[in-house]
Amino acid sequence: MENTARVKSEEMVGRIDGRLMKNKVIKGIFLAATAFTTIILMVLLYRIISQGAPYLSWDFFQNFASRRPEQAGIKAAVIGTIWMMSVVIPTAAILGVGTAIYLEEYAKKSALTRWIQMNISNLAGVPSVVFGLLGLTIFVRVFGFGNTIIAAGFTMALLVLPVVIVASQEAIRAVPNELKEASFGLGATKWQTIYRVVLPYAIPGIATGSILAFSRAIGETAPLIVVGIPTFVAFLPSGYLDQFTALPMQIYNWTSRPQVEFHNLAAAGIIILLAVLILMNSVAVWIRNRFQAR
């Protein structure tokens, strides 16, 4: 009996040691993967900052694009990006949140609504160039907007719209049913419940998902290329039907030049783009934490 118990004890210890060894191996693999990606990211950041930081100056922000690297600036691209986002943000936010509210609060659960939601989720993973082709067909050619701010803005709004809808739906689903039932019990209508109970509770999730989607719109280049946005613009737009350029297009233009100085200017533009993206993501985190604290 003692020998049998000893053998079972040794087998159990061996199994535990084997599991601990597997755990260490898997932990080491995950640690190596994390370290590899972190090193690659740090190398890229160092390369970009070392190349672009010397070119960051007040003249760089004040000058227009130029064929001479020492006179080239990013003023038109920054202002053009602001104009484009002034179309993207309200369009995607209103349509996205409105669609999410209808699908979650008003639409009856049926095969049709499930089919619509499935297609919205699938659209969130469609390559951005497909949305560029859609914008080229509808806004540039059918509506005749041409390669203007409003055409590019609507195209980028379509690009981020599925992400905004999905994020808004998840935020609305997270609202406890007890809050809505209490609102109905006090005599509130459906819209009053949505406006005064559901939306305030869902704002953190909606805002976070929307801001991250808008960050994607700022950094996308393929849809703008397909729509035909110019890469060289030496003027500021005065309206939504004017031509413009954006930060990704200006960076793309500089990287396509053979001169090393233009590549350094592209690195400086990437630093600005990264700063904008980090700022927007920080705002999203701040909004989420602020409303969650409430």
Side-chain angles (χ1 to χ4, degrees), residues 136-159:
L136 175 66
T137 303
I138 297 178
F139 303 121
V140 176
R141 294 180 178 174
V142 175
F143 288 101
F145 291 142
N147 52 352
T148 59
I149 294 173
I150 193 168
F154 284 158
T155 301
M156 303 305 282
L158 289 178
L159 172 65

Side-chain angles (χ1 to χ4, degrees), residues 57-293:
S57 63
W58 184 248
D59 291 336
F60 180 71
F61 290 95
Q62 288 293 314
N63 294 342
F64 291 100
S66 175
R67 302 184 188 279
R68 298 179 180 179
E70 63 276 6
Q71 298 178 357
I74 204 167
K75 181 178 181 179
V78 172
I79 301 301
T81 300
I82 295 174
W83 274 89
M84 182 184 72
M85 293 308 298
S86 69
V87 177
V88 175
I89 292 176
T91 303
I94 294 173
L95 293 178
V97 177
T99 302
I101 291 174
Y102 176 78
L103 291 175
E104 291 299 321
E105 300 295 335
Y106 288 101
K108 295 181 180 180
K109 305 303 179 182
S110 62
L112 178 60
T113 56
R114 288 194 296 269
W115 181 79
I116 293 174
Q117 291 182 350
M118 180 187 66
N119 282 277
I120 291 174
S121 301
N122 292 335
L123 284 174
V126 171
S128 58
V129 67
V130 176
F131 290 95
L133 293 172
L134 181 63
L136 175 66
T137 303
I138 297 178
F139 303 121
V140 176
R141 294 180 178 174
V142 175
F143 288 101
F145 291 142
N147 52 352
T148 59
I149 294 173
I150 193 168
F154 284 158
T155 301
M156 303 305 282
L158 289 178
L159 172 65
V160 301
L161 186 59
V163 180
V164 175
I165 294 174
V166 172
S168 301
Q169 283 185 281
E170 295 297 331
I172 293 173
R173 288 173 190 164
V175 178
N177 288 327
E178 292 81 2
L179 296 178
K180 292 187 283 188
E181 292 173 357
S183 177
F184 291 138
L186 293 174
T189 63
K190 185 77 170 180
W191 170 242
Q192 288 175 330
T193 301
I194 293 172
Y195 181 73
R196 298 186 179 275
V197 177
V198 176
L199 286 181
Y201 195 95
I203 280 178
I206 293 174
T208 301
S210 299
I211 292 175
L212 294 178
F214 300 149
S215 300
R216 180 189 178 189
I218 290 179
E220 283 288 349
T221 310
L224 299 179
I225 294 176
V226 175
V227 171
I229 301 304
T231 57
F232 186 92
V233 173
F235 58 87
L236 296 179
S238 58
Y240 289 104
L241 294 178
D242 290 346
Q243 289 187 339
F244 79 110
T245 190
L247 279 171
M249 295 299 298
Q250 189 64 70
I251 295 171
Y252 170 76
N253 179 32
W254 283 334
T255 55
S256 64
R257 300 291 184 90
Q259 294 92 337
V260 179
E261 291 80 4
F262 281 114
H263 296 171
N264 296 334
L265 288 172
I270 292 173
I271 293 175
I272 297 173
L273 188 58
L274 285 175
V276 173
L277 296 177
I278 292 173
L279 177 62
M280 295 185 68
N281 293 339
S282 300
V283 171
V285 173
W286 178 80
I287 291 175
R288 182 186 61 194
N289 294 337
R290 180 180 177 86
F291 280 91
Q292 283 182 348

Side-chain angles (χ1 to χ4, degrees), residues 8-64:
K8 291 182 178 179
S9 177
E10 292 177 353
E11 290 179 354
M12 185 176 298
V13 171
R15 291 176 182 177
I16 294 175
D17 292 339
R19 292 175 181 176
L20 292 176
M21 181 59 65
K22 290 180 181 179
N23 181 65
K24 291 181 180 180
V25 171
I26 294 174
K27 180 181 178 181
I29 293 174
F30 291 156
L31 179 62
T34 304
F36 177 76
T37 53
T38 303
I39 291 172
I40 296 297
L41 178 62
M42 296 303 296
V43 170
L44 290 175
L45 289 176
Y46 172 77
R47 180 67 181 274
I48 292 171
I49 294 174
S50 61
Q51 281 186 308
Y55 287 80
L56 292 175
S57 63
W58 184 248
D59 291 336
F60 180 71
F61 290 95
Q62 288 293 314
N63 294 342
F64 291 100

